[in-house]
Amino acid sequence: MTSQEIRSAFIQFFEQKQHQFVPSAPIVNKDDPTLMFINAGMNQFKDYFLGNKPAPYARAANSQKCLRVSGKHNDLEEVGLDTYHHTMFEMLGNWSFGDYFKKEAIAWSWELLTDVYKLPKDRLYASVFGGDEQDSLELDKEAYNYWKEIIDEDRIILGSKKDNFWEMGDTGPCGPCSEIHIDLRPTAEIDKQPGKELVNQDHPLVVEIWNLVFMQFNRQASGKLHPLSAQHIDTGMGFERLAMAIQNKQSNYDTDVFAPLIEQVSQRANVRYGNNPKTDVAIRVIVDHIRAIAFSIADGQLPSNNKAGYVIRRILRRAVRYSYTFLELKEPFLYQLIPTLSQQFADVFPELKKQQSFVEKVIQEEESSFLRTLEVGLGKLDQIKEEYQVEKKIPGTVVFELYDTFGFPFDLTALIARESGYSVDEAGFGQEMEKQKNRSRAATSTDTGDWTVLMEDTDTTFVGYDTLTAEARIIKYRQVQDKKSSYYQLALDKTPFYAEGGGQVGDTGVLESGTEQIFIFDTKKENDLIVHYTKKLPTDAEAIFTCRVDLDKRKATENNHSATHLLHAALRQVLGDHVQQRGSLVNDQLLRFDFSHFAKMTNDEIQQVEHLVNQRVRENIRLEELRKLPIDEAKTMGAMALFGEKYGSEVRVIVFDRNYSVELCGGTHVSATGRLGFFKIISEGSVAAGIRRIEAITGTAAENYIREQEELLSSIKETLKNPRDLQKAVHSLVEEKNQLRKQIDALQQEKASRIQQELASKIQNIKEAKIIIEKVSLPQADMLKQLAFNLKNQVDNLVMVLAADIDGKPQISVVIDELLTKTYDLHAGKLVKHLAKHIRGGGGGQPFFATAGGKDVSGLEKVLEEAKEVIQNALHK
């Protein structure tokens, strides 16, 4: 069976058993603060397990894009070194929400694996939860007995809590699980050692292919387990491993899931996969990583230096490093794999095919940028080797700096170092990595208490589209303690507070009961639960409260949100239909709109966009809001959907003129465009490869901005004595300044030449070395560097230390002839570090040239004294 046939057979099997097929959620997670990426098939169904909302179907099945870059066997730096772990993978799964349970889940898994996929029964093993004393849990006899009806008891393995008890997190739904393992070893090896002994022992050919989770408990923050009111089934089967088993391969990478990409990379690098372990690892890294990179970008996550974006950038850079180092590919080429990948997944994950050109361009730009960084890093490593040429060992702190700043992993630095006869401080590097992890943990550490439930089986009704006040009761509350503060989270049975989403910030306001007011400082969604943030609990948590949203803040935010829709439509008119929203921020101060476009907008384009938006504002177009519209109808209307968003079968559509702006949107908006008053773009720039960002303001903020600009213009006119032609007056002033600058530069150059001559006249000879150790006063720092290089070119065998007073700030420059660095124990970088302590500063550089800066100009005399002593001692040895 091909991989496409394997996936189709899974979906069809469960559809025949009355399961609703549910498309994959975006790989980038939006509404769950505990996850950056979807890491399991159940993530998109989490609300149903948590009871935040009822499931729209009793049974479901899907194939979910997942991404894992941490945890057991999922360390990014390990992927590619073996043949069976991945960053991105597909998770096939079937779910029951309070419907069937263990009997059906076990029977159907066996039926699919053996009757449909024809996997050999004598190579399959099943594990069940063996119990745990700490949780007072016994053997899962129910699952054991069901398995006993299907397979021999010697093929049933009793597993520990670590292997056979699945938990969503520190708290929440959980339960025992039953894993199905397969032994793919040759018969001769099986005859020597039974597969049962190798289950969960990390053998590459004795692997878990399916995990059946029986959710029947809820883990409290106290650690105690309580039975769930409804029992659920959550299963997950790794698609790549399943393909390996069915296609009778020895590795996931040998299947047709990866073969087309491996063939393309091999041809491009002119190597053969399977011939060389080093190039094999590089190829596996590339074909694995390109999937994670491409689908993350297609789902809305661009590479960046923050959070999820930083993870994608790390994955991309690791792929580039391996191609650069082991495949000798010095030019961008990862982006060339996207057509193959998009075609391969066109039927199951069509979002990549739809955005193929955009994804290619983003990856190409990222590759080009990192290749430049890589060249700089390699140059930096050459400097480091020169600095430690005596010790022949690079400290762990320096290796970590290369990793953190230039993206050099430890093994790449170690490899380059070994080739030059150097070693690296692995223990020191490990300590620095641990410090970084500890800092990260400390920054994000939170302690979330259990919910105190006041109203059972009650959902939250959002009424904030229609009113900004409502009578409500608290359903449940809990306390949260983070590094900086303690606060409470409240869930209400009815709320007008909009929860942060779709780029729009959450509402603020108050809850009132009698004379008591509880300030709500933020509103967010946790999965699908609307959570209100407050610093204190009400005196009577069971009272009836009047909810009041901050009216001014909400209205200003609505202005800016509606403006993003008008802006989006205007951009597509002016720049073209390739423009797609790639992110946004909407609050009461401004709007920030990120969009796909590969060139800086011209002033004329910006003015056209502003004109179009303001034209729509003046037309005072009334809002047409369509709630719970079937998504197919919305698409027929031409409603724009955002890539990376998960939409249900019914959607909300926001329309400002059906011929102008029609978008799927859950945010709040003005009743008519005239309420915006005025729209003004205040900045336009690049935020990532192929992504531009516009910041704009509306209403009162725009009015204030124009007034400030007018006041600034008046002030400039007054300063220039109110000239008739302001533009001509400013040009004249700039020209006059440029002329004066040239005169000053000429005078400074003349001064530098005099100083150079004076220094050359003060040369002292020690052996073959020409010594200059002097103090100088210069107006600019770059003059010191130029002076040093001029003297280096003028004087052979030069050893020079210049202690400079640059407008009251101390600097040191050290020059040592390259031949003398090899003849004597002289190293400019080390010497300048040693001297910098006298000026309370630091510095470094190469053996022949180095600089340092500091804070204490009074220490320059001591710099000269010690420099003379060190140099004389070195030359007389």
Side-chain angles (χ1 to χ4, degrees):
M1 296 177 78
T2 66
S3 57
Q4 284 87 348
E5 290 169 340
I6 292 169
R7 188 190 294 111
S8 296
F10 179 91
I11 294 168
Q12 290 169 11
F13 178 85
F14 282 104
E15 284 182 330
Q16 290 168 3
K17 298 196 183 294
Q18 292 75 53
H19 286 64
Q20 172 69 43
F21 173 71
V22 181
S24 172
I27 200 169
V28 184
N29 207 18
K30 297 288 179 67
D31 292 326
D32 187 343
T34 66
L35 286 174
M36 285 194 291
F37 299 97
I38 295 291
N39 64 2
M42 58 76 58
N43 290 155
Q44 69 167 307
F45 305 116
K46 198 170 176 180
D47 275 323
Y48 309 149
F49 296 129
L50 290 169
N52 292 338
K53 63 179 180 181
Y57 26 71
R59 303 176 180 184
N62 89 334
S63 182
Q64 173 65 49
K65 295 170 291 186
C66 300
L67 183 66
R68 294 181 184 174
V69 288
S70 61
K72 183 183 178 184
H73 300 312
N74 292 297
D75 190 300
L76 177 59
E77 298 300 340
E78 298 298 321
V79 174
L81 302 185
D82 61 34
T83 60
Y84 50 92
H85 287 108
H86 305 287
T87 50
M88 182 208 152
F89 60 97
E90 273 188 76
M91 182 78 81
L92 302 174
N94 61 288
W95 288 269
S96 164
F97 307 110
D99 186 18
Y100 64 84
F101 202 45
K102 296 179 185 179
K103 181 179 181 179
E104 294 85 351
I106 290 171
W108 291 340
S109 66
W110 187 257
E111 180 185 349
L112 178 61
L113 291 176
T114 59
D115 292 352
V116 178
Y117 290 142
K118 307 297 183 185
L119 290 175
K121 298 178 182 179
D122 61 352
R123 287 181 174 244
L124 295 171
Y125 297 87
S127 65
V128 299
F129 178 56
D132 184 75
E133 285 187 17
Q134 185 178 350
D135 281 329
S136 300
L137 294 174
E138 297 181 350
L139 163 72
D140 186 356
K141 292 180 182 178
E142 186 181 5
Y144 187 93
N145 290 334
Y146 287 137
W147 276 117
K148 193 169 65 171
E149 296 174 7
I150 296 173
I151 59 176
D152 294 336
E153 286 191 70
D154 64 355
R155 290 191 170 274
I156 305 175
I157 299 162
L158 300 186
S160 65
K161 178 181 176 181
K162 178 173 74 73
D163 291 323
N164 281 88
F165 194 88
W166 189 90
E167 305 200 48
M168 186 182 295
D170 294 335
T171 61
C174 56
C177 62
S178 187
E179 297 176 338
I180 302 173
H181 298 255
I182 189 166
D183 187 349
L184 299 172
R185 295 175 300 153
T187 304
E189 287 191 32
I190 293 175
D191 291 341
K192 293 178 183 178
Q193 184 177 19
K196 184 175 182 178
E197 297 176 6
L198 297 174
V199 168
N200 283 329
Q201 299 301 313
D202 294 337
H203 194 289
L205 293 178
V206 183
V207 293
E208 171 203 333
I209 53 172
W210 207 342
N211 189 13
L212 316 177
V213 179
F214 313 125
M215 288 198 188
Q216 58 190 91
F217 300 107
N218 186 44
R219 175 80 69 181
Q220 302 290 101
S222 63
K224 292 183 179 180
L225 293 173
H226 293 276
L228 290 171
S229 57
Q231 297 175 327
H232 311 294
I233 288 294
D234 162 25
T235 84
M237 177 157 56
F239 174 66
E240 294 79 8
R241 285 189 183 180
L242 178 63
M244 175 179 74
I246 294 173
Q247 295 177 2
N248 196 26
K249 302 294 184 181
Q250 298 291 293
S251 158
N252 295 357
Y253 291 95
D254 295 336
T255 67
D256 67 346
V257 178
F258 292 97
L261 292 171
I262 287 176
E263 181 180 359
Q264 187 175 351
V265 175
S266 299
Q267 289 180 354
R268 179 69 175 79
N270 197 27
V271 299
R272 185 174 179 181
Y273 183 68
N275 277 7
N276 183 315
K278 289 185 177 180
T279 57
D280 286 355
V281 168
I283 292 171
R284 286 196 294 270
V285 166
I286 291 164
V287 300
D288 171 273
H289 288 11
I290 192 61
R291 292 162 25 114
I293 297 160
F295 282 110
S296 295
I297 294 171
D299 280 347
Q301 183 55 66
L302 297 169
S304 71
N305 287 329
N306 297 304
K307 298 181 180 179
Y310 179 61
V311 175
I312 302 307
R313 178 163 282 170
R314 277 187 64 207
I315 294 172
L316 187 148
R317 290 183 168 191
R318 184 169 186 256
V320 173
R321 290 195 312 261
Y322 271 88
S323 64
Y324 183 98
T325 305
F326 298 103
L327 299 180
E328 296 294 325
L329 296 172
K330 310 297 185 184
E331 299 292 330
F333 101 99
L334 294 179
Y335 74 96
Q336 297 173 7
L337 301 174
I338 300 304
T340 301
L341 191 63
S342 64
Q343 186 60 42
Q344 186 179 1
F345 288 93
D347 292 334
V348 63
F349 305 134
E351 57 274 12
L352 182 57
K353 185 78 172 177
K354 292 175 182 176
Q355 303 177 84
Q356 181 177 318
S357 176
F358 171 73
V359 174
E360 286 176 11
K361 288 177 180 177
V362 171
I363 293 174
Q364 184 180 11
E365 289 288 333
E366 279 287 320
E367 285 187 87
S368 299
S369 174
F370 182 58
L371 283 167
R372 292 191 294 269
T373 301
L374 200 58
E375 290 288 353
V376 173
L378 289 169
K380 176 71 174 175
L381 189 53
D382 287 339
Q383 294 178 19
I384 290 168
K385 286 190 293 183
E386 289 184 3
E387 190 171 344
Y388 294 97
Q389 61 183 346
V390 176
E391 301 91 335
K392 292 289 183 181
K393 184 173 184 177
I394 303 174
T397 52
V398 176
V399 179
F400 178 77
E401 182 189 353
L402 281 170
Y403 166 81
D404 202 38
T405 306
F406 298 100
F408 274 56
F410 175 84
D411 54 359
L412 179 58
T413 301
L415 174 68
I416 296 172
R418 279 197 303 273
E419 289 174 349
S420 304
Y422 287 70
S423 63
V424 294
D425 176 14
E426 184 171 0
F429 173 78
Q431 290 170 4
E432 294 300 315
M433 284 291 289
E434 190 60 31
K435 288 178 186 176
Q436 185 188 58
K437 289 177 182 178
N438 289 338
R439 287 192 296 269
S440 178
R441 289 191 202 104
T444 58
S445 175
T446 58
D447 182 14
T448 304
D450 288 328
W451 286 108
T452 298
V453 180
L454 303 180
M455 299 172 66
E456 296 281 359
D457 302 321
T458 305
D459 296 328
T460 298
T461 301
F462 175 65
V463 296
Y465 293 140
D466 304 310
T467 180
L468 298 186
T469 62
E471 300 295 308
R473 290 180 179 271
I474 297 175
I475 298 172
K476 55 184 177 180
Y477 65 87
R478 67 185 177 188
Q479 186 173 14
V480 179
Q481 181 75 50
D482 64 20
K483 187 179 179 183
K484 296 179 181 178
S485 63
S486 174
Y487 55 90
Y488 293 89
Q489 296 177 338
L490 314 177
L492 308 177
D493 65 341
K494 185 188 295 183
T495 180
F497 289 88
Y498 178 82
E500 179 183 314
Q504 180 175 332
V505 298
D507 280 334
T508 62
V510 295
L511 302 183
E512 296 176 343
S513 177
T515 58
E516 185 177 31
Q517 278 196 339
I518 302 297
F519 177 61
I520 302 299
F521 67 84
D522 202 355
T523 311
K524 295 179 183 289
K525 266 192 177 181
E526 186 171 306
N527 300 298
D528 209 46
L529 179 67
I530 297 176
V531 180
H532 308 75
Y533 289 65
T534 180
K535 288 292 184 181
K536 69 172 185 174
L537 284 176
T539 305
D540 180 6
E542 297 188 41
I544 297 176
F545 297 90
T546 300
C547 308
R548 297 188 191 281
V549 174
D550 185 322
L551 177 64
D552 292 338
K553 186 175 180 182
R554 166 71 89 85
K555 283 190 171 182
T557 303
E558 288 177 345
N559 284 354
N560 288 331
H561 199 156
S562 296
T564 64
H565 286 222
L566 303 182
L567 170 63
H568 193 184
L571 286 167
R572 288 170 65 84
Q573 279 195 27
V574 174
L575 302 179
D577 289 342
H578 66 280
V579 169
Q580 295 280 347
Q581 180 176 337
R582 293 294 171 181
S584 67
L585 170 68
V586 177
N587 59 30
D588 58 324
Q589 301 294 315
L590 54 74
L591 66 93
R592 191 172 71 199
F593 189 79
D594 297 345
F595 59 98
S596 52
H597 187 57
F598 286 85
K600 177 180 172 61
M601 289 181 68
T602 65
N603 289 336
D604 182 57
E605 287 170 338
I606 291 172
Q607 288 172 10
Q608 286 183 59
V609 168
E610 283 185 335
H611 174 72
L612 280 172
V613 173
N614 282 312
Q615 189 176 43
R616 298 300 180 180
V617 171
R618 288 189 292 273
E619 289 172 3
N620 197 29
I621 302 167
R622 295 203 63 78
L623 166 67
E624 182 183 359
E625 178 197 19
L626 304 171
R627 298 184 194 174
K628 294 189 175 182
L629 190 70
I631 192 164
D632 290 336
E633 286 188 37
K635 289 178 179 177
T636 302
M637 287 177 62
M640 291 189 63
L642 301 182
F643 289 108
E645 293 291 339
K646 178 73 175 176
Y647 298 104
S649 58
E650 293 182 329
V651 294
R652 180 168 176 262
V653 180
I654 296 297
V655 182
F656 290 110
D657 184 342
R658 293 198 176 198
N659 294 317
Y660 184 71
S661 173
V662 183
E663 293 196 26
L664 303 183
C665 181
T668 64
H669 289 273
V670 297
S671 56
T673 59
R675 214 182 80 186
L676 273 63
F678 181 63
F679 171 86
K680 179 63 182 173
I681 293 174
I682 57 175
S683 70
E684 188 276 343
S686 173
V687 290
I691 304 296
R692 308 297 296 179
R693 171 174 292 172
I694 279 177
E695 289 190 347
I697 49 181
T698 62
T700 304
E703 182 183 332
N704 292 339
Y705 177 83
I706 296 298
R707 187 178 63 253
E708 289 167 3
Q709 295 299 305
E710 288 180 340
E711 289 173 354
L712 176 62
L713 192 61
S714 295
S715 176
I716 292 171
K717 284 182 177 179
E718 189 175 332
T719 301
L720 297 178
K721 308 300 182 187
N722 293 306
R724 290 182 181 178
D725 188 335
L726 178 61
Q727 188 174 30
K728 183 178 179 181
V730 171
H731 283 161
S732 297
L733 192 64
V734 171
E735 182 59 31
E736 184 180 343
K737 175 183 173 291
N738 290 337
Q739 291 298 324
L740 291 171
R741 180 75 263 171
K742 289 178 182 178
Q743 293 177 27
I744 291 170
D745 288 343
L747 290 171
Q748 289 180 345
Q749 190 61 44
E750 185 180 334
K751 180 180 179 181
S753 297
R754 288 200 307 272
I755 293 173
Q756 180 180 335
Q757 292 173 8
E758 290 174 7
L759 291 172
S761 68
K762 296 180 179 180
I763 290 174
Q764 296 181 350
N765 296 304
I766 301 179
K767 295 185 177 178
E768 70 270 39
K770 304 290 191 297
I771 313 298
I772 300 175
I773 302 175
E774 295 290 339
K775 182 179 178 182
V776 295
S777 293
L778 297 167
Q780 292 179 332
D782 57 353
M783 290 180 65
L784 178 63
K785 183 177 181 180
Q786 189 60 51
L787 181 62
F789 274 98
N790 287 346
L791 283 163
K792 181 177 181 292
N793 293 331
Q794 179 184 345
V795 182
D796 292 332
N797 296 331
L798 179 65
V799 177
M800 178 173 69
V801 176
L802 296 179
D805 179 344
I806 299 177
D807 197 22
K809 295 179 181 179
Q811 286 205 10
I812 305 169
S813 179
V814 178
V815 175
I816 301 174
D817 183 88
E818 291 185 46
L819 289 175
L820 295 180
T821 63
K822 298 172 183 176
T823 308
Y824 299 97
D825 184 18
L826 288 170
H827 188 291
K830 293 180 179 179
L831 178 56
V832 85
K833 277 185 181 179
H834 187 66
L835 297 175
K837 65 186 180 185
H838 295 299
I839 59 171
R840 291 171 55 210
Q846 298 169 301
F848 55 87
F849 178 70
T851 59
K855 301 175 183 177
D856 186 2
V857 73
S858 66
L860 291 176
E861 294 298 336
K862 290 183 180 179
V863 168
L864 298 176
E865 291 174 14
E866 185 155 1
K868 289 176 184 177
E869 182 180 346
V870 171
I871 291 169
Q872 287 176 357
N873 290 340
L875 292 172
H876 284 109
K877 278 186 179 180

